[in-house]
Amino acid sequence: MIKFRQLKDSDNIYQIADFIYQTDRTFDKLFNNRKNSIKAIGIMIKSDIVNPYHRKFLTVAYDDDHDEDILGIVLAYRGEDFTYSDVKSALFETGCSNFIKINLFPLYDYLFASHVGDNDYYIGNLFVNPNFRHNRLGSKLVNFCIDKAKDLNCDSVMLDVEYFKKELPNFYMKLGFKYDSKHWIDFLGYSNGCYGMKLSLK
């Protein structure tokens, strides 16, 4: 039976960091390569500075019979849970990026991601272990977040889907989400950005 829990000290942090890395190409822009990215995400998970990858926002899916096998993860939080100042401090703490990239991060986020209000619940990263796919675990993780957002009396659940992940918007629409915004640029053959999707709760 699939259950959900918070991250434990005994969990393999860098396996989870790798799962998070696989959900978002932005990490390579910020940390240059996969190795640095996974190291940085792991540091942010364990950090004392609250940030979008902090352990308090991380939910692990597991099988009741095999608690050590991580079936999938989701990172989700309310808009008021941290500030850009917190995020920049956590990024500096990793030692895996540089001053210019870290200070440009808020601008990049503004251009290429949804604006999340203080009382919106945002699904930042969702990953299902390839060894455990095709059992509706992705839907269960999203529904877990929706239920949590309702418990917190949030206004909506929001997320962003990278523009090249053509199949994902339909997945989220089946769960009640609608297109809310578009954040990308096409310039001289370079494309980057996301679709913003939203499920209103009020």
Side-chain angles (χ1 to χ4, degrees), residues 69-83:
D69 290 337
I70 297 174
L71 311 184
I73 57 105
V74 64
L75 268 166
Y77 45 81
R78 289 174 69 170
E80 66 180 9
D81 283 338
F82 51 83
T83 66

Side-chain angles (χ1 to χ4, degrees), residues 57-86:
F57 305 131
L58 185 57
T59 299
V60 172
Y62 68 99
D63 189 299
D64 199 20
D65 295 328
H66 303 282
D67 181 54
E68 70 282 358
D69 290 337
I70 297 174
L71 311 184
I73 57 105
V74 64
L75 268 166
Y77 45 81
R78 289 174 69 170
E80 66 180 9
D81 283 338
F82 51 83
T83 66
Y84 275 122
S85 177
D86 297 328

Side-chain angles (χ1 to χ4, degrees), residues 1 24 52 67 75 80 86 110 123 161 163 170 190 196:
M1 180 178 177
D24 191 342
D67 181 54
L75 268 166
E80 66 180 9
D86 297 328
Y110 175 80
I123 299 175
V161 177
Y163 76 98
N170 287 334
Y190 172 80

Side-chain angles (χ1 to χ4, degrees), residues 129-147:
N129 189 325
N131 296 325
F132 303 103
R133 288 182 181 166
H134 310 298
N135 63 359
R136 297 187 49 79
L137 179 56
S139 299
K140 291 173 185 174
L141 284 163
V142 174
N143 283 320
F144 174 86
C145 291
I146 293 170
D147 290 341

Side-chain angles (χ1 to χ4, degrees), residues 27-28 41 132 150 164 177 191:
F27 292 116
D28 283 340
I41 296 164
F132 303 103
K150 288 177 179 176
F164 64 89
F177 288 80
S191 296

Side-chain angles (χ1 to χ4, degrees), residues 19-75:
F19 289 169
I20 294 169
Y21 170 81
Q22 292 181 57
T23 69
D24 191 342
R25 295 195 318 188
T26 305
F27 292 116
D28 283 340
K29 294 178 178 64
L30 194 54
F31 300 117
N32 300 321
N33 58 55
R34 182 186 187 110
K35 182 179 178 182
N36 276 352
S37 295
I38 292 169
K39 177 183 175 185
I41 296 164
I43 292 169
M44 288 190 290
I45 289 172
K46 296 184 289 184
S47 178
D48 290 332
I49 303 167
V50 179
N51 68 83
Y53 307 101
H54 194 272
R55 59 192 171 275
K56 73 185 273 187
F57 305 131
L58 185 57
T59 299
V60 172
Y62 68 99
D63 189 299
D64 199 20
D65 295 328
H66 303 282
D67 181 54
E68 70 282 358
D69 290 337
I70 297 174
L71 311 184
I73 57 105
V74 64
L75 268 166

Side-chain angles (χ1 to χ4, degrees), residues 82-196:
F82 51 83
T83 66
Y84 275 122
S85 177
D86 297 328
V87 177
K88 291 201 297 186
S89 295
L91 290 171
F92 275 118
E93 184 183 53
T94 68
C96 297
S97 191
N98 64 48
F99 180 84
I100 294 172
K101 287 183 178 181
I102 290 171
N103 279 286
L104 285 175
F105 178 80
L107 175 61
Y108 185 90
D109 194 51
Y110 175 80
L111 292 173
F112 298 114
S114 294
H115 171 72
V116 182
D118 285 350
N119 202 39
D120 294 321
Y121 196 71
Y122 185 75
I123 299 175
N125 304 85
L126 184 149
F127 183 85
V128 176
N129 189 325
N131 296 325
F132 303 103
R133 288 182 181 166
H134 310 298
N135 63 359
R136 297 187 49 79
L137 179 56
S139 299
K140 291 173 185 174
L141 284 163
V142 174
N143 283 320
F144 174 86
C145 291
I146 293 170
D147 290 341
K148 189 165 184 180
K150 288 177 179 176
D151 290 343
L152 293 169
N153 200 30
C154 291
D155 296 331
S156 68
V157 181
M158 302 177 69
L159 56 92
D160 288 300
V161 177
E162 290 172 303
Y163 76 98
F164 64 89
K165 296 180 179 177
K166 305 296 185 186
E167 74 287 352
L168 277 184
N170 287 334
F171 165 75
Y172 288 111
M173 283 191 284
K174 289 176 183 175
L175 295 169
F177 288 80
K178 296 180 179 177
Y179 285 109
D180 182 60
S181 55
K182 189 167 76 169
H183 312 274
W184 75 59
I185 59 168
D186 290 297
F187 182 71
L188 299 176
Y190 172 80
S191 296
N192 191 37
C194 299
Y195 294 105

